[in-house]
Amino acid sequence: MTPTITTVDAFTDRPFAGNPAAVCVLDAPAPDDWMQLVAREMNLSETAFLHPIDGGPRWRLRWFTPTVEVDLCGHATLATAHVLWEEDHLAPDAVAEFETRGGLLTARRVDGWIELDFPAKPIERPVSDPAELAALSEALGVPVVSAGRSRFDILAELPDEATVRGLSPDFGRIHAIPARGVIATAPSSDPTFDFVSRFFAPAVGVDEDPVCGSAHCVLAPFWAARLGRDALRAHQVSPRGGVLRLHLAADRVAIAGQAVTTFRGQLQGAAGIAT
């Protein structure tokens, strides 16, 4: 059979907003080079591939940008869970369980939203070296209030929401920073939300990720400590924009969002791929 691929806008309740991800459900593992070529062809921040493990109930899930495979991706996991329920691969009340390079991840339906259970990735050390802070400010084009390194990314705290929204970063300079990407964040000026953010990751082939779930594995513990509460509402203020509900519990983060299917089609040139 010819594989089906579905495009889903994640962390939004309307089409053509949030973060689009492609999802390809297979019956068995596919070759790495084929998955990378499909991800390059889709040219979205992530394309997800999954297949059942020994007939279920768990699924093996992998994520590819147009250039590399990544260890953790929130929006494509949310999109994948959405597709599994929408296409009746899972019962409506079933929990989706995924074995990934980032560990065991789960998703469940909660009041019309999809809630992911992800590992928290708190700041491991502050960025205090003046040269490193200067390089970060030059890359973002604005002064940085504070900064810290998590396992994958650098978080840069900026003065206010307007500064985050107005960023026009130098992607060449960001690419040179030794990290997956740079998270820019500030308190929200809208009382509906606790904080805003944007995420830039040219090192993995994504200049700006419209709504990055895994970046909120860093943002949740950062803002929970700042604001003194574990339940947070986040707004990623990229041009497409997206909304996330977060709850920090020990070393895990519940990341909730909505999703909308925008496209479903058949992949050609996929001879020998199990579907």
Side-chain angles (χ1 to χ4, degrees), residues 8-111:
V8 176
D9 288 340
F11 296 117
T12 183
D13 61 356
R14 66 185 191 277
F16 317 123
N19 198 354
V23 178
C24 186
V25 182
L26 303 167
D27 287 337
D32 290 6
D33 57 350
W34 179 82
M35 291 189 286
Q36 188 64 74
L37 287 171
V38 172
R40 187 179 71 180
E41 187 73 11
M42 297 306 295
N43 199 33
L44 299 173
S45 56
E46 264 85 16
T47 298
F49 300 88
L50 71 156
H51 64 84
I53 300 172
D54 298 327
R58 289 185 178 176
W59 299 76
R60 173 63 175 162
L61 174 61
R62 297 171 70 180
W63 313 280
F64 291 78
T65 77
T67 60
V68 297
E69 184 175 5
V70 296
D71 292 336
L72 194 65
C73 180
H75 86 280
T77 303
L78 188 143
T80 297
H82 170 81
V83 167
L84 289 180
W85 284 308
E86 187 175 64
E87 295 183 353
D88 296 325
H89 296 286
L90 288 177
D93 59 349
V95 174
E97 299 182 351
F98 304 111
E99 292 189 7
T100 77
R101 283 171 52 159
L104 178 64
L105 308 175
T106 64
R108 62 192 182 108
R109 284 172 155 172
V110 180
D111 299 328

Side-chain angles (χ1 to χ4, degrees), residues 95-142:
V95 174
E97 299 182 351
F98 304 111
E99 292 189 7
T100 77
R101 283 171 52 159
L104 178 64
L105 308 175
T106 64
R108 62 192 182 108
R109 284 172 155 172
V110 180
D111 299 328
W113 290 54
I114 297 172
E115 184 179 272
L116 309 176
D117 176 30
F118 266 47
K121 300 292 182 184
I123 297 298
E124 296 179 351
R125 69 170 180 86
V127 175
S128 55
D129 178 70
E132 196 173 1
L133 282 171
L136 184 58
S137 292
E138 289 172 0
L140 292 172
V142 297

Side-chain angles (χ1 to χ4, degrees), residues 185-206:
T185 187
S188 175
S189 60
D190 179 348
T192 305
F193 303 103
D194 294 299
F195 65 89
V196 299
S197 67
R198 291 173 70 183
F199 182 61
F200 309 105
V204 294
V206 183

